[in-house]
């Protein structure tokens, strides 16, 4: 049985052509994503804002419930205090001496203070509840508006995405295919340069003796090295990978 011939290792020229092709594909993907503009971020911001409003409303609702429970507790305390006062006043009519009278008077005074304090706390809680209810109403109005905005933005984004989804998926497959020709180390370097470049260009052709990325002049000897396709050469000024424009038309060896 004949042995299978080993896969031919990609030459530097193959890698340069693949990188240049990869850049062209990724630039098309960038263009598609630019068409979407800030919509994905706007959608995310609105979703985050809606979650924040819903959390705030739920928190205020819980606080209103706690305040109402506190008011009920204070009202029960007032009822008990009034009952105690009646009991103590009845006891005052049966005291045997001034010491007992004074002790009961102090208990009545204490119960009255408890009532006053409870009534004060009730008023404070009622005022706070009013503020909370007002805040809940305002948040609910904002929530309705934000949900409307989100529906609109999502519809707009879905429309743009549906128009470009198929093309983007095809380009991403082509991008992955082109990247397979190049070793991971070089692909990582390519991605790093792309991430740092304002226009996303990591691989550029020499145009009019200048770098196609930063437009700085390239020395003649360096241009000759680029045209030889024997090694990966980067721009001394911007760090982009440089290729000869003619490489696009050369057939893979």
């Amino acid at each position: 049985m004949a042995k299978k011939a080993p896969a031919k290792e990609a030459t530097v020229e193959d890698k340069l052509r693949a990188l240049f092709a990869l850049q062209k594909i990724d630039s098309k993907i960038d263009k598609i994503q630019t068409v979407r503009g800030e919509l994905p971020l706007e959608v995310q911001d609105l979703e985050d804002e809606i979650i924040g409003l819903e959390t705030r409303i739920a928190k205020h609702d819980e606080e209103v419930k706690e305040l109402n429970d506190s008011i009920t507790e204070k009202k029960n305390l007032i009822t008990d205090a009034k009952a105690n006062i009646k009991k103590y006043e009845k006891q005052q009519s049966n005291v045997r001496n001034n010491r007992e009278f004074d002790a009961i008077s102090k208990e009545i005074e204490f119960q009255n203070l408890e009532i006053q304090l409870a009534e004060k706390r009730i008023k404070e809680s009622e005022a706070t509840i009013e503020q909370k209810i007002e805040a809940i109403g305002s948040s609910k109005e904002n929530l309705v508006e934000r949900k409307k905005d989100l529906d609109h933005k999502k519809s707009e984004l879905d429309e743009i995405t549906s128009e470009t989804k198929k093309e983007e998926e095809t380009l991403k497959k082509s991008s992955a295919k082109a990247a397979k020709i190049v070793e991971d180390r070089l692909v990582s370097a390519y991605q790093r340069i792309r991430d740092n470049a304002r226009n996303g260009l990591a691989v550029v052709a020499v145009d009019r003796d200048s770098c196609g990325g930063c437009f700085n002049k390239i020395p003649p000897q360096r241009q000759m090295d680029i045209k030889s396709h024997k090694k990966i050469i980067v721009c001394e000024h911007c760090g982009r990978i440089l290729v000869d424009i003619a490489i696009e038309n050369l057939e893979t060896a």
Side-chain angles (χ1 to χ4, degrees):
M1 184 176 177
K3 288 185 178 179
K4 187 177 179 182
K8 185 179 177 181
E9 187 178 348
T11 64
V12 173
E13 185 176 294
D14 292 335
K15 294 173 185 177
L16 286 169
R17 290 183 72 250
L19 282 170
F20 194 47
L22 183 60
Q23 179 65 75
K24 290 179 72 176
I25 293 164
D26 287 344
S27 290
K28 287 180 181 178
I29 294 171
D30 290 344
K31 189 175 180 181
I32 288 171
Q33 292 174 346
T34 300
V35 171
R36 292 178 197 154
E38 297 295 318
L39 277 175
L41 289 175
E42 288 175 14
V43 166
Q44 183 63 57
D45 286 345
L46 282 167
E47 287 174 341
D48 290 343
E49 189 176 351
I50 285 168
I51 290 170
L53 285 167
E54 288 173 339
T55 302
R56 191 182 308 162
I57 290 167
K59 184 181 177 184
H60 285 329
D61 281 337
E62 182 61 29
E63 288 169 346
V64 167
K65 181 180 178 301
E66 289 174 359
L67 286 165
N68 278 320
D69 289 344
S70 176
I71 288 172
T72 300
E73 184 185 330
K74 293 292 185 294
K75 284 181 176 179
N76 290 336
L77 188 149
I78 289 171
T79 300
D80 292 342
K82 285 180 177 178
N84 287 334
I85 288 170
K86 283 185 179 180
K87 181 182 72 173
Y88 291 136
E89 285 175 343
K90 188 176 180 181
Q91 288 176 359
Q92 266 185 332
S93 4
N94 299 316
V95 294
R96 291 170 296 181
N97 52 54
N98 289 337
R99 186 169 60 81
E100 287 183 3
F101 185 87
D102 290 342
I104 293 172
S105 295
K106 285 180 180 178
E107 286 295 339
I108 292 171
E109 185 181 354
F110 175 75
Q111 294 299 321
N112 279 316
L113 288 172
E114 286 282 78
I115 290 170
Q116 290 172 20
L117 182 61
E119 287 173 342
K120 181 184 177 184
R121 294 285 182 262
I122 287 171
K123 286 179 181 178
E124 290 172 351
S125 294
E126 286 174 341
T128 304
I129 286 172
E130 195 174 327
Q131 291 172 358
K132 297 287 181 188
I133 290 173
E134 189 177 334
I136 289 169
S138 176
S139 293
K140 283 183 176 179
E141 286 178 11
N142 286 336
L143 184 61
V144 170
E145 291 302 316
R146 293 293 79 80
K147 283 184 174 180
K148 284 180 183 177
D149 291 342
L150 179 60
D151 289 342
H152 175 71
K153 293 292 182 184
K154 272 188 171 180
S155 175
E156 197 175 340
L157 180 58
D158 288 344
E159 186 179 344
I160 294 171
T161 302
S162 64
E163 291 173 358
T164 57
K165 187 177 180 181
K166 189 174 179 181
E167 182 185 359
E168 187 175 4
E169 286 175 353
T170 302
L171 287 169
K172 283 182 177 178
K173 286 178 183 177
S174 299
S175 176
K177 186 177 178 182
K180 284 180 181 179
I181 299 173
V182 187
E183 65 263 30
D184 292 342
R185 177 184 59 82
L186 198 52
V187 172
S188 295
Y190 162 81
Q191 285 296 347
R192 188 167 59 251
I193 298 167
R194 248 175 73 75
D195 290 342
N196 292 328
R198 188 170 55 184
N199 54 9
L201 292 177
V203 182
V204 293
V206 177
D207 185 24
R208 296 178 185 177
D209 302 328
S210 300
C211 169
C214 66
F215 310 110
N216 278 290
K217 286 289 182 182
I218 300 170
Q221 182 56 50
R222 201 161 183 79
Q223 289 188 52
M224 288 180 65
D225 291 338
I226 293 166
K227 287 179 181 178
S228 71
H229 314 140
K230 298 297 183 185
K231 57 183 176 180
I232 307 293
I233 296 174
V234 299
C235 175
E236 295 176 343
H237 301 281
C238 66
R240 291 180 172 89
I241 297 167
L242 297 169
V243 297
D244 173 23
I245 190 65
I247 203 169
E248 186 179 14
N249 302 317
L250 294 175
E251 291 185 0
T252 306

